[in-house]
Amino acid sequence: TPLTKRIDPIPVAMYGGRQAVSMLPGGGIGPELMSYVRDVFKYAGAPVDFETVDIDPNSESNDDLDYAITSIKRNGVAIKGNIETKSKSAETLSRNVAIRNELDLYVNVLHCKSYPGLPARQKNIDLMIIRQNTEGEYAMLEHECIDGVIESMKVVTASNSERVARFAFEFAKRNGRKKITTIHKANIMKLSDGLFLETSKRIAKEYPEIEHNEMIIDNCCMQLVSNPHQFDVMLMTNLYGSIVSNVCCGLIGGAGLLSGRNYGDHYAIFEPATRNTGKAIAGKNVANPIAMLNAGIDMLHHLGHVQHADLITKAMVKTICEDKIHTPDLGGTAKSTDVIQNIIDYILTVDVRPW
Ligand code: ATP
């Protein structure tokens, strides 16, 4: 039950020093969603300062990109919107991919969990997607070898397959998960997906307490739609991970809800799970702010600010599950700012100070 005591005007950051984090708003709806994260963090008293880094999608130079990478290396942590790649030339690399590669963020983690009471195609889903995040079809090695013939390289390495498999099994062990399913197409891509699958089978032997099975990506897509509850943790390569993540988000409420976490050994980036730019709905006050707010909550957990994360989570869940303040993507008529105002109003009714 919320207490009625108000904190006025802004709660004081109480735990140790403040943490600087990089904020990369990206294009489309990114900047407006970031402004909501800032507002909510301010009222929740999250001891975090944002260093904003804008990347100009029209720029031919990589100066912005270099600055962003330097900033994340300095702060260790970033929250990020999607950066548009405007050029269609194969020489212009996606800045999103470049950042993940440069920081060696080799794992993407998506927790796909249903929100009770929200309109969704499937209820009571609680599964994890663990995705290789730096190679596979995202190697960005494409060329036209002769007129009208394009070759595109899918790169799978033993070392990255092992790192991501080990991450998945450690993750499952530490979080009480019971089963890992490796998703692949090793019947056709016998060498690349074959290596990924065989590596995961080898690592699975070190974790006998965790059940391991495998599934071909085609069947996996069908099973996700018809019987998603059979999945616990799903382990897969990069492009399958992108597609399966979008399927899962679609099952439980769309692009506006869930967040995704990118981890390497040294840095972490938090962002909306489906990595959309949302250009068509930018500036209209209709984008669902929850996915980016969830990215902010993930970041607070990562930094150890669990109480702030829990406070914002409570306010968010109350807003969408109980008060049912829904933007149009969830079938509602609320504006983005209505959702945020409701969250802030709730935070202001709760006394988070221990004295
Ligand atoms: P782009 O801007 O990348 O050219 P787009 O705006 O058509 O494309 P995506 O950014 O790929 O679409 O997003 C896919 C769909 O998800 C779009 O319909 C978009 O409006 C929707 N979407 C993405 N993020 C959100 C959000 N936070 N709230 C509501 N809808 C969203």
Side-chain angles (χ1 to χ4, degrees):
T1 323
L3 305 175
T4 48
K5 196 166 167 190
R6 282 193 162 248
I7 299 160
D8 204 16
I10 294 169
V12 180
M14 296 166 294
Y15 312 103
R18 297 179 66 83
Q19 166 91 35
V21 303
S22 306
M23 175 179 266
L24 281 62
I29 53 177
E32 59 201 83
L33 299 185
M34 290 301 186
S35 76
Y36 305 140
V37 171
R38 276 178 188 278
D39 287 347
V40 172
F41 273 37
K42 182 174 80 180
Y43 284 98
V48 165
D49 292 317
F50 295 104
E51 181 188 357
T52 306
V53 184
D54 287 310
I55 296 183
D56 177 3
N58 295 306
S59 166
E60 293 292 319
S61 105
N62 278 333
D63 289 355
D64 289 353
L65 181 67
D66 291 343
Y67 183 71
I69 289 165
T70 306
S71 163
I72 300 169
K73 284 187 173 167
R74 188 168 50 235
N75 297 324
V77 170
I79 183 166
K80 176 180 167 302
N82 201 46
I83 303 159
E84 230 191 317
T85 309
K86 286 214 163 156
S87 167
K88 299 272 179 273
S89 148
E91 265 79 68
T92 311
L93 304 182
S94 155
R95 264 95 178 208
N96 304 294
V97 176
I99 290 170
R100 290 195 287 271
N101 288 353
E102 186 61 33
L103 299 173
D104 193 23
L105 302 177
Y106 61 90
V107 190
N108 181 261
V109 179
L110 164 55
H111 186 191
C112 184
K113 190 169 187 331
S114 303
Y115 285 99
L118 245 61
R121 297 192 180 275
Q122 289 279 0
K123 306 256 179 253
N124 302 322
I125 292 185
D126 182 2
L127 61 84
M128 307 286 318
I129 299 170
I130 298 197
R131 160 185 178 189
Q132 207 295 324
N133 208 25
T134 49
E135 58 180 22
E137 304 80 354
Y138 286 56
M140 298 192 292
L141 296 171
E142 291 191 315
H143 61 267
E144 187 164 23
C145 45
I146 53 166
D147 241 9
V149 180
I150 305 291
E151 288 181 344
S152 175
M153 305 257 209
K154 166 168 173 166
V155 178
V156 176
T157 62
S159 57
N160 275 326
S161 302
E162 175 160 348
R163 285 204 293 180
V164 74
R166 203 169 281 291
F167 183 100
F169 280 93
E170 272 304 311
F171 182 94
K173 187 172 146 185
R174 290 182 199 187
N175 291 281
R177 296 273 170 174
K178 305 273 178 283
K179 182 170 95 176
I180 295 187
T181 307
T182 301
I183 308 299
H184 64 89
K185 187 77 183 171
N187 52 335
I188 303 293
M189 274 161 277
K190 293 179 194 292
L191 293 184
S192 53
D193 279 23
L195 175 60
F196 190 84
L197 174 62
E198 288 313 312
T199 307
S200 71
K201 282 184 181 171
R202 177 165 56 80
I203 301 295
K205 293 203 177 93
E206 297 178 31
Y207 297 84
E209 70 278 20
I210 296 167
E211 184 188 341
H212 180 241
N213 67 351
E214 58 172 282
M215 193 177 283
I216 292 178
I217 178 69
D218 327 23
N219 185 25
C220 163
C221 290
M222 184 168 65
Q223 297 293 331
L224 270 172
V225 175
S226 54
N227 178 21
H229 303 101
Q230 68 186 285
F231 296 109
D232 187 351
V233 177
M234 304 167 84
L235 168 65
M236 63 198 83
T237 53
N238 210 342
L239 183 61
Y240 306 152
S242 174
I243 297 165
V244 168
S245 295
N246 276 261
V247 172
C248 289
C249 288
L251 284 179
I252 75 153
L257 282 180
L258 300 180
S259 53
R261 303 174 251 162
N262 303 279
Y263 293 118
D265 290 337
H266 304 290
Y267 310 109
I269 295 185
F270 303 92
E271 63 185 341
T274 51
R275 298 175 176 168
N276 297 122
T277 318
K279 248 171 60 185
I281 54 169
K284 296 186 174 155
N285 198 8
V286 294
N288 192 338
I290 298 298
M292 192 67 87
L293 198 56
N294 265 323
I297 291 168
D298 292 343
M299 185 173 73
L300 288 174
H301 275 291
H302 179 77
L303 296 172
H305 301 308
V306 177
Q307 281 168 293
H308 298 88
D310 287 349
L311 173 65
I312 299 172
T313 304
K314 243 180 163 174
M316 180 194 72
V317 169
K318 180 172 187 300
T319 297
I320 59 173
C321 298
E322 282 178 39
D323 302 341
K324 300 206 181 294
I325 315 288
H326 293 166
T327 42
D329 55 303
L330 297 178
T333 53
K335 301 285 182 201
S336 324
T337 45
D338 297 333
V339 177
I340 293 301
Q341 191 57 54
N342 204 78
I343 290 172
I344 291 173
D345 285 348
Y346 177 77
I347 289 172
L348 288 174
T349 63
V350 181
D351 188 356
V352 290
R353 293 171 299 189
W355 60 84

